Amino acid sequence: MTTIANNLQQVLGRIAHACAAAGRDPASVSLLAVSKTFGAEAVLQAAAAGQRAFGENYIQEGVEKIAAVGGGFVPALQWHCIGPIQSNKTRLVAEHFDWAHTVDRLKTAERLAAQRPDHLPPLQVCIQVNMDGGPTKSGVAPADTLELVRAVAKLPRLRVRGLMSIPDHAPDFETQLALHQGAKRLFDQIAALGEPGLEHFDTLSMGMTADLEAAIQAGSTLVRVGTGIFGGRTYPAA
């Protein structure tokens, strides 16, 4: 078994254990393998071990990797854009990715909708929420989230699936849990409305390698794990 395959099994074990502690079905939490800065070979190793959903932060890198990895997997690999989406990169996201987790402005959503090819399924969208209010962080304010969700839900070729949150790092479980619980409350409030266009509002994307247990306890349905699967990253010099 490769290191990546072994790491993947360990992460799945952590998810199962966290679900048991929270009284949840492990099938209610999906794993997104964050493959940024790792090459196509690492993705192929994870895919060979059964992983099908991959997250990319850097759009151009992700597009190149999608092409390098190719198709032929059953079920097909699923590609999630989980990094910032600049205006000049919306077409790449619309044409190559299956999901976009970081929509926090209507303008971005409008460009994605206009540029999504008709022959592809709707782009699955999560609205990124800045739950802890950091002034330099991306994400719509919690108070403005419902308005944005409603506006995006009206756009063609997009499907609003839920919320995404990246809270500030917290060193202990209880603090992590409190941060994630705020996102869960907001998610539940919107989901309970049952409004047109929100029939598929079922995804709460939160939790990473360091805090997935707290995220699952709070109610995450999708955890984004990179280091725990692929190992430490080496970033190119600026």
Side-chain angles (χ1 to χ4, degrees), residues 26-44:
S28 69
V29 180
S30 299
L31 171 61
L32 185 63
V34 180
S35 43
K36 69 174 181 180
T37 77
F38 290 93
E41 179 56 36
V43 172
L44 290 170

Side-chain angles (χ1 to χ4, degrees), residues 115-138:
Q115 295 166 346
R116 182 70 170 176
D118 290 334
H119 71 276
L120 293 179
L123 181 66
Q124 312 297 303
V125 170
C126 289
I127 303 301
Q128 183 175 355
V129 184
N130 184 355
M131 288 304 303
D132 42 15
T136 62
K137 292 175 61 176
S138 300

Side-chain angles (χ1 to χ4, degrees), residues 77-90:
L77 300 189
Q78 200 178 75
W79 292 93
H80 297 235
C81 176
I82 60 172
I85 305 175
Q86 302 92 343
S87 294
N88 64 342
K89 297 291 179 64
T90 54

Side-chain angles (χ1 to χ4, degrees), residues 64-159:
E64 293 170 0
K65 203 174 301 179
I66 291 167
V69 169
F73 294 93
V74 180
L77 300 189
Q78 200 178 75
W79 292 93
H80 297 235
C81 176
I82 60 172
I85 305 175
Q86 302 92 343
S87 294
N88 64 342
K89 297 291 179 64
T90 54
R91 184 175 296 278
L92 289 175
V93 175
E95 293 181 348
H96 296 279
F97 286 84
D98 303 297
W99 285 67
H101 286 230
T102 54
V103 173
D104 60 1
R105 293 180 296 163
L106 181 58
K107 178 183 177 182
T108 301
E110 289 172 339
R111 290 177 66 89
L112 291 170
Q115 295 166 346
R116 182 70 170 176
D118 290 334
H119 71 276
L120 293 179
L123 181 66
Q124 312 297 303
V125 170
C126 289
I127 303 301
Q128 183 175 355
V129 184
N130 184 355
M131 288 304 303
D132 42 15
T136 62
K137 292 175 61 176
S138 300
V140 63
D144 299 327
T145 301
L146 177 57
E147 179 182 0
L148 181 58
V149 166
R150 284 170 167 160
V152 176
K154 294 176 182 178
L155 296 173
R157 293 183 288 278
L158 303 184
R159 178 173 292 159

Side-chain angles (χ1 to χ4, degrees), residues 128-134 137-142 145 163-167 179-186:
Q128 183 175 355
V129 184
N130 184 355
M131 288 304 303
D132 42 15
K137 292 175 61 176
S138 300
V140 63
T145 301
L163 304 181
M164 182 262 218
S165 175
I166 311 175
L179 290 168
H180 290 311
Q181 285 174 331
K184 171 62 166 152
R185 285 191 294 270
L186 182 60

